[in-house]
C-alpha cells in the first residue's frame, strides 16, 4: 500500500471533523432546550420592532443561535470533505485511483441512497482483509449506512426551509437528533478505522517479508593475499636471483703492519756476554 502515513492522517481528520459535527448538534440541541423555545416567543412579541423593550436581549440570543448554525454547517462540510479525501486516498492504496465513481456515488441524487456502501464494501475487499471478518464487516457497514440515512433525514426535516417546527422551537433539534447523528458518526469512524488498519497492516507485512540486501560479513582475520596470475607470470619470467656474498679473506703477511707503524715496541733479545 502506498502513502500509509497520509492515509492515517486523513483518517484522523475524519475523526476530528465527525467529533466537531456531534458537538455542533449537541450545542444546538442544548440551546434549543435552554433558550430556543423562549426565544421564539420573545421574537413573536417584538412584532419586528427593533426598538421594543427587551430587543437587545433577543438580538444577543439570535446572534448566539446564528453562530451555532454556522458552526454546524462548517463542521458538516468539513466532515464530508475529510471523508471524501480519506476515501480517495484509501482507493489509491487499494489500486483504485479513479475519482469519478466516488463523485457519482455520493452526489448524484437517488444513486447516493445505495451506491456509497457498495463502493466502501468494494474498497474493503480490495484492501485484502482477513476472511474471518466478512460477517462482522457487513453488519457494521449496514448499521452505519442505515443510521446515516436516518440521521440525514432527521436533520434535513428540521432544517428544510418552511418545515413546521410546532411554533415553539427554532430548529427542532433535540435528543433524538443528537443520538442519531452521534451513532452515525461513531459507526462511520469505525468503518474508516477498519479499512485504514487493514491497509496499514498489509503494508507492514509486505515490508517485513521483502528480502533485505545484506553485505557480506567482513573477515575478522586478514587472509593472505594470493598473487594474481599476472604476478605469477612475471615471477616465472624474472626469477629472483640471490647475490652471493664475497668471502672475507685473511690479510697477507705483506699487508701486516710493522711494529713501528703499528706503534707497538718489538721485544729485544738478550745475548750472553762474549757472544
Amino acid at each position: 500500500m502506498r502513502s500509509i502515513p497520509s492515509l492515517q492522517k486523513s483518517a484522523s481528520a475524519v475523526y476530528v471533523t465527525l467529533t466537531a459535527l456531534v458537538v455542533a448538534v449537541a450545542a444546538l440541541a442544548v440551546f434549543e432546550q435552554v433558550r430556543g423555545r423562549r426565544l421564539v416567543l420573545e421574537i413573536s412579541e417584538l412584532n419586528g420592532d427593533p426598538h421594543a423593550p427587551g430587543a437587545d436581549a433577543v438580538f444577543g440570543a439570535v446572534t448566539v443561535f446564528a453562530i451555532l448554525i454556522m458552526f454546524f454547517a462548517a463542521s458538516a462540510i468539513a466532515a464530508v470533505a475529510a471523508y471524501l479525501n480519506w476515501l480517495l486516498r484509501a482507493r489509491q492504496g487499494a489500486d483504485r485511483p479513479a475519482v469519478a465513481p466516488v463523485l457519482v456515488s455520493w452526489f448524484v441524487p437517488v444513486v447516493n441512497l445505495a451506491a456509497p456502501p457498495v463502493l466502501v464494501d468494494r474498497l474493503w475487499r480490495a484492501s485484502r482483509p482477513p476472511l474471518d471478518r466478512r460477517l462482522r464487516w457487513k453488519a457494521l457497514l449496514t448499521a452505519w449506512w442505515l443510521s446515516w440515512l436516518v440521521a440525514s433525514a432527521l436533520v434535513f426535516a428540521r432544517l428544510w426551509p418552511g418545515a413546521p417546527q410546532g411554533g415553539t422551537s427554532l430548529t427542532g433539534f433535540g435528543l433524538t437528533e443528537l443520538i442519531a447523528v452521534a451513532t452515525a458518526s461513531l459507526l462511520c469512524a469505525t468503518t474508516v478505522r477498519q479499512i485504514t488498519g487493514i491497509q496499514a497492516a498489509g503494508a507492514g507485512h509486505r515490508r517485513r517479508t521483502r528480502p533485505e540486501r545484506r553485505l557480506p560479513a567482513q573477515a575478522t582475520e586478514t587472509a593472505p593475499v594470493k598473487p594474481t596470475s599476472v604476478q605469477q607470470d612475471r615471477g616465472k619470467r624474472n626469477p629472483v636471483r640471490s647475490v652471493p656474498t664475497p668471502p672475507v679473506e685473511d690479510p697477507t703477511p705483506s699487508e701486516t703492519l710493522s711494529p713501528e707503524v703499528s706503534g707497538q715496541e718489538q721485544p729485544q733479545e738478550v745475548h750472553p756476554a762474549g757472544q
Side-chain angles (χ1 to χ4, degrees):
M1 303 295 171
R2 300 187 299 271
S3 304
I4 293 300
S6 61
L7 179 63
Q8 292 174 340
K9 290 181 180 179
S10 59
S12 300
V14 174
Y15 307 150
V16 172
T17 53
L18 287 176
T19 302
L21 179 61
V22 174
V23 171
V25 174
L28 280 174
V30 171
F31 183 85
E32 195 72 55
Q33 297 296 323
V34 174
R35 189 74 175 88
R37 296 180 179 180
R38 183 158 50 92
L39 181 60
V40 172
L41 297 176
E42 293 175 354
I43 292 175
S44 61
E45 292 176 356
L46 291 177
N47 294 323
D49 185 5
H51 302 288
D56 294 338
V58 171
F59 290 151
V62 170
T63 302
V64 174
F65 174 72
I67 292 174
L68 294 179
I69 285 292
M70 288 188 292
F71 176 51
F72 168 77
S75 60
I77 294 173
V80 172
Y83 183 83
L84 292 179
N85 179 52
W86 168 84
L87 187 59
L88 292 175
R89 291 184 181 274
R91 285 174 60 84
Q92 290 177 358
D95 297 328
R96 295 174 178 267
V99 180
V102 176
L103 300 179
V104 170
S105 63
W106 279 92
F107 295 106
V108 174
V110 182
V111 176
N112 57 8
L113 296 178
V118 176
L119 194 70
V120 174
D121 184 58
R122 291 179 179 176
L123 172 61
W124 184 84
R125 287 183 293 176
S127 301
R128 299 179 181 87
L131 297 178
D132 57 348
R133 298 184 184 180
R134 179 63 180 168
L135 293 178
R136 286 183 293 177
W137 166 253
K138 292 179 69 175
L140 173 63
L141 186 64
T142 303
W144 162 62
W145 190 245
L146 291 178
S147 64
W148 173 259
L149 291 178
V150 172
S152 300
L154 290 174
V155 170
F156 281 115
R158 298 300 187 186
L159 297 180
W160 192 264
Q165 305 298 340
T168 59
S169 62
L170 295 173
T171 60
F173 279 14
L175 186 60
T176 303
E177 289 75 17
L178 176 59
I179 293 175
V181 172
T183 302
S185 299
L186 178 62
L187 294 175
C188 179
T190 306
T191 59
V192 171
R193 183 175 179 272
Q194 287 276 342
I195 295 177
T196 304
I198 291 172
Q199 292 194 7
H205 177 71
R206 276 191 294 277
R207 284 196 297 268
R208 289 192 299 269
T209 56
R210 183 180 301 170
E212 297 180 357
R213 296 180 180 178
R214 296 182 179 179
L215 297 175
Q218 296 181 354
T220 56
E221 296 181 359
T222 305
V225 179
K226 295 182 179 180
T228 61
S229 59
V230 177
Q231 294 174 347
Q232 291 177 356
D233 294 341
R234 291 179 179 175
K236 291 178 180 179
R237 290 196 300 268
N238 302 320
V240 180
R241 297 178 181 179
S242 59
V243 179
T245 304
V248 180
E249 297 180 356
D250 295 332
T252 58
S254 61
E255 295 176 350
T256 56
L257 299 176
S258 61
E260 289 82 359
V261 176
S262 60
Q264 297 180 356
E265 294 182 358
Q266 186 70 20
Q268 297 180 359
E269 295 181 0
V270 179
H271 299 280
Q275 293 180 357

